[in-house]
Structures are given as C-alpha cells and as structure tokens.
C-alpha cells in the first residue's frame, strides 16, 4: 500500500541518520566483532566494560552459556 511504502521510506531515512562511532578502541572492536559468533568472556576486559558503560551500552548485551 502507499502507506506501507511511505513507512519504508521513513525507516530508510531514519537509518540514514544514524551516526556510527568509528574511533573505537581495538579491544572493543574485537569484542563487538566476535559477538556474531559468540564472544568469549576473555574479550570482555575492564576497558571494554568501561567503554560500554560510557556509551550506555552495557545493558545491550547478555551472556549465555554454551551447552
């Protein structure tokens, strides 16, 4: 429908306005990149935790045990 198409265009515009931070510490980048495959807790260093906390992202991640 025309309304659905308008919504898609609005979502696209909203996504285009998102600013991604490119200057991320190397160990934070390693942790975030590993998340797709299941990041080891060894990658969750105090610096990574501090960075996540500083950017209000600490509650955005969960830990699950592999079975």
């Amino acid at each position: 429908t025309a309304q659905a198409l308008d919504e898609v265009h609005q979502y696209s515009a909203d996504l285009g306005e998102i600013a991604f931070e490119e200057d991320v510490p190397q160990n934070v980048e390693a942790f975030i990149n590993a998340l797709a495959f299941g990041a080891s807790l060894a990658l969750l260093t105090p610096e990574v935790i501090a960075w996540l906390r500083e950017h209000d992202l600490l509650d955005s991640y969960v830990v699950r045990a592999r079975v």
Side-chain angles (χ1 to χ4, degrees):
T1 66
Q3 181 181 356
L5 189 56
D6 288 341
E7 288 178 8
V8 169
H9 286 291
Q10 184 58 51
Y11 294 144
S12 177
D14 292 346
L15 287 171
E17 292 176 11
I18 295 175
F20 292 99
E21 187 168 341
E22 294 181 15
D23 188 24
V24 177
Q26 186 175 8
N27 59 351
V28 173
E29 183 177 359
F31 172 74
I32 292 172
N33 288 339
L35 290 172
F37 305 104
S40 166
L41 287 179
L43 293 173
L44 193 58
T45 63
E47 184 182 18
V48 171
I49 293 170
W51 189 91
L52 292 171
R53 184 175 284 126
E54 179 182 321
H55 291 84
D56 295 321
L57 294 171
L58 197 58
D59 292 331
S60 298
Y61 300 95
V62 298
V63 176
R64 292 202 167 95
R66 283 190 230 181
V67 193

